[in-house]
Amino acid sequence: DVEINDTLREKLPPDKIEELIDALREDPRPSYIENDERIYGFYFDKYEIKFTVKEKTATVTDIIPNKKD
């Protein structure tokens, strides 16, 4: 499962929400790390996505616009 609250959803264009959910369902964490407390991050389109994973649920904690654009 993937959780993104409404406030964070507003930071992305509507057409990118499903793409982000699909990317998080693939579990982009390094396979050698499993830590419920760790905040992970990756670049997605023009954004940096921060998320946690607990009990197979990815929760987006922040969406940061890429400053280069």
Side-chain angles (χ1 to χ4, degrees), residues 1 3 10 13 15 21 39-40 50-51 56 58 62 67:
D1 286 334
E3 295 179 355
E10 291 174 5
D15 62 318
I21 290 170
I39 296 175
Y40 301 92
K50 300 289 187 176
F51 67 101
K56 298 188 179 183
D62 205 358
K67 295 185 187 330

Side-chain angles (χ1 to χ4, degrees), residues 51-63:
F51 67 101
T52 60
V53 178
K54 188 170 189 176
E55 297 180 16
K56 298 188 179 183
T57 298
T59 301
V60 175
T61 59
D62 205 358
I63 297 174

Side-chain angles (χ1 to χ4, degrees), residues 27-56:
D27 195 355
R29 297 176 296 167
S31 60
Y32 58 89
I33 298 175
E34 285 194 29
N35 180 338
D36 288 348
E37 304 301 317
R38 184 171 177 156
I39 296 175
Y40 301 92
F42 70 104
Y43 290 98
F44 172 79
D45 194 51
K46 298 177 181 179
Y47 304 89
E48 183 176 1
I49 308 300
K50 300 289 187 176
F51 67 101
T52 60
V53 178
K54 188 170 189 176
E55 297 180 16
K56 298 188 179 183

Side-chain angles (χ1 to χ4, degrees), residues 13-34:
D15 62 318
K16 295 293 180 185
I17 298 291
E18 281 303 315
E19 288 180 37
L20 175 59
I21 290 170
D22 288 344
L24 287 166
R25 283 187 179 138
E26 294 294 320
D27 195 355
R29 297 176 296 167
S31 60
Y32 58 89
I33 298 175
E34 285 194 29

